[in-house]
Amino acid sequence: MKQLKSICILLMMTLLPLSMMANEHKEGEVLDIPEIVLHHLDDAYEWHIVSDVSIPLPIIIRSSQTGEWHFCTESSLPDGFFFNEEAHGKIYERMADGTVERPLDLSITRNVLQIWISVALLLTVFLCCANWYKKHDKTSEAPKGFVGAMEMLVMMINDDVIKSSIGEKHYKKYAPYLLTVFFFIFFTNLLGLLPIFPGGSNVTGNINITFFLALCTFLAINLFGNKEYWKEIFWPDVPIFLKAIPIMPAIELFGVFTKPFALMIRLFANMMAGHAMILAFTCVIFLGWTLGPVMGTGLNIFSAIMLLFMNALELLVAFVQAYVFTMLSAVFIGLAHKEGHEG
């Protein structure tokens, strides 16, 4: 029965994007697959539901020319402002001399709203779990069901990843941050796989989001690293001529920036690629309809099977990418505390 439910969920996740794109695609219209994929991956000032139904999101911009703030929606953009398709649909302002500039944009875009939904979901989940623990003491039975699953997940990340990577002495002060990062990435990845509201936004496939997460890890590593960490960077245990040149300090200092950069690119590339593959196989089904009944049927069956496979794979990737980002962050933080790393 559980396997049947899982298959039904995957079929829903496979067929819903297909039906939504079928409503958008007009008969006789040339199918531009790259344009469709990029359009669905980009951030937006509205939350598209189906063909003619969307949720307008508040646009908050400050004019670079007059300094005036404007509060509007996508359909009521003030004069002088326009959506620049060459800049992924971002809002630009046409100045008096004919030039265009990017105004200060504090709009609640689709990705921003998806982050808020993820945070609200996380707060709901953990407050419910905390409420269960308030009503039970140490002598009570172990939690079951959803609370038990959350406890198992927290303990796995805390004990097997954070504690083992950073060490017994230092792990407690980093555990709240790393657990928050893990569950934020995990929940936003899962919401991104939902084809309908309140999911479907490609949050972790946005490099601005992964840049901020990597920056937080960068600060956690370098602001709280001990003297042994900095000694290994600027005065490593190598022959004296390598210190005098100095080759090794330059390489080690370069590594300070490449570690968080690798975290940023890994999460961004994997999540964006997964969403792009699902959208591409969805588009291939429409392409198969134009190839005739024989070739088109075979291509459509292959694409549907690949869609089902990719959705199942992305469920695994949603967890794996959150786990890998947290694990590598914990390893890099552990390297900044030599005692904990040696332990």
Side-chain angles (χ1 to χ4, degrees):
M1 183 61 69
K2 291 182 178 180
Q3 292 178 347
L4 181 60
K5 288 181 180 179
S6 300
I7 293 173
C8 290
I9 292 172
L10 285 173
L11 284 173
M12 182 192 72
M13 293 172 64
T14 301
L15 295 175
L16 271 175
L18 184 61
S19 62
M20 292 169 63
M21 293 181 72
N23 290 331
E24 295 178 6
H25 182 62
K26 298 178 182 178
E27 188 177 353
E29 185 180 350
V30 178
L31 188 66
D32 189 348
I33 294 179
E35 177 63 26
I36 292 174
V37 171
L38 291 175
H39 173 72
H40 281 77
L41 291 177
D42 280 342
D43 200 2
Y45 294 96
E46 63 176 3
W47 201 305
H48 191 77
I49 307 298
V50 291
S51 181
D52 297 320
V53 180
S54 60
I55 301 174
L57 300 176
I59 294 176
I60 308 170
I61 48 178
R62 181 179 182 274
S63 173
S64 301
Q65 187 166 254
T66 63
E68 183 181 356
W69 286 94
H70 297 275
F71 301 86
C72 57
T73 61
E74 191 174 25
S75 60
S76 59
L77 203 63
D79 293 337
F81 296 91
F82 66 98
F83 296 102
N84 191 344
E85 296 302 328
E86 296 180 356
H88 304 283
K90 297 299 183 182
I91 296 176
Y92 275 72
E93 182 181 7
R94 197 174 304 279
M95 311 302 287
D97 57 0
T99 60
V100 294
E101 289 188 11
R102 180 90 163 93
L104 179 61
D105 190 349
L106 301 180
S107 304
I108 311 302
T109 62
R110 186 175 61 186
N111 282 347
V112 173
L113 183 57
Q114 182 78 91
I115 291 172
W116 288 1
I117 292 172
S118 299
V119 171
L121 183 60
L122 283 170
L123 286 173
T124 302
V125 167
F126 285 105
L127 287 176
C128 289
C129 292
N131 186 54
W132 186 94
Y133 285 103
K134 283 177 66 177
K135 296 178 180 179
H136 298 78
D137 54 25
K138 295 181 179 180
T139 60
S140 303
E141 293 184 0
K144 299 178 181 179
F146 181 76
V147 177
M150 291 301 299
E151 180 181 302
M152 178 192 68
L153 198 55
V154 169
M155 290 181 65
M156 181 189 72
I157 299 300
N158 185 71
D159 297 343
D160 299 341
V161 176
I162 301 173
K163 187 175 180 180
S164 62
S165 298
I166 299 178
E168 183 79 29
K169 185 177 179 180
H170 301 285
Y171 86 95
K172 288 185 179 180
K173 62 183 178 182
Y174 295 104
Y177 162 68
L178 292 171
L179 285 168
T180 301
V181 166
F182 170 80
F183 282 103
F184 173 77
I185 296 174
F186 184 41
F187 275 49
T188 50
N189 287 350
L190 290 179
L191 281 176
L193 292 176
L194 292 176
I196 56 175
F197 183 85
S201 185
N202 187 31
V203 173
T204 48
N206 186 317
I207 200 166
N208 295 309
I209 305 300
T210 60
F211 168 77
F212 178 77
L213 293 174
L215 178 63
C216 291
T217 297
F218 172 81
L219 294 176
I221 295 169
N222 295 285
L223 290 181
F224 306 106
N226 60 15
K227 61 181 182 180
E228 293 295 328
Y229 167 70
W230 293 107
K231 177 181 177 296
E232 288 186 356
I233 293 175
F234 294 107
W235 197 254
D237 294 328
V238 294
I240 193 65
F241 71 91
L242 290 177
K243 296 177 182 179
I245 294 179
I247 296 177
M248 290 304 297
I251 294 174
E252 291 291 339
L253 186 61
F254 183 69
V256 169
F257 299 97
T258 56
K259 290 172 184 175
F261 180 79
L263 288 175
M264 174 185 72
I265 296 298
R266 179 182 286 106
L267 180 59
F268 158 72
N270 280 283
M271 298 313 302
M272 186 187 69
H275 283 266
M277 288 292 291
I278 290 174
L279 291 169
F281 279 117
T282 304
C283 292
V284 168
I285 293 178
F286 291 97
L287 185 62
W289 291 347
T290 65
L291 299 179
V294 179
M295 292 184 62
T297 302
L299 185 61
N300 288 347
I301 292 174
F302 170 76
S303 299
I305 293 173
M306 289 303 298
L307 267 175
L308 192 63
F309 170 75
M310 286 301 301
N311 275 291
L313 182 63
E314 282 298 298
L315 286 174
L316 176 62
V317 170
F319 172 80
V320 169
Q321 289 304 315
Y323 182 89
V324 169
F325 190 97
T326 307
M327 180 188 67
L328 291 178
S329 295
V331 169
F332 296 153
I333 292 172
L335 291 172
H337 297 276
K338 191 173 181 181
E339 300 86 357
H341 178 60
E342 289 178 347

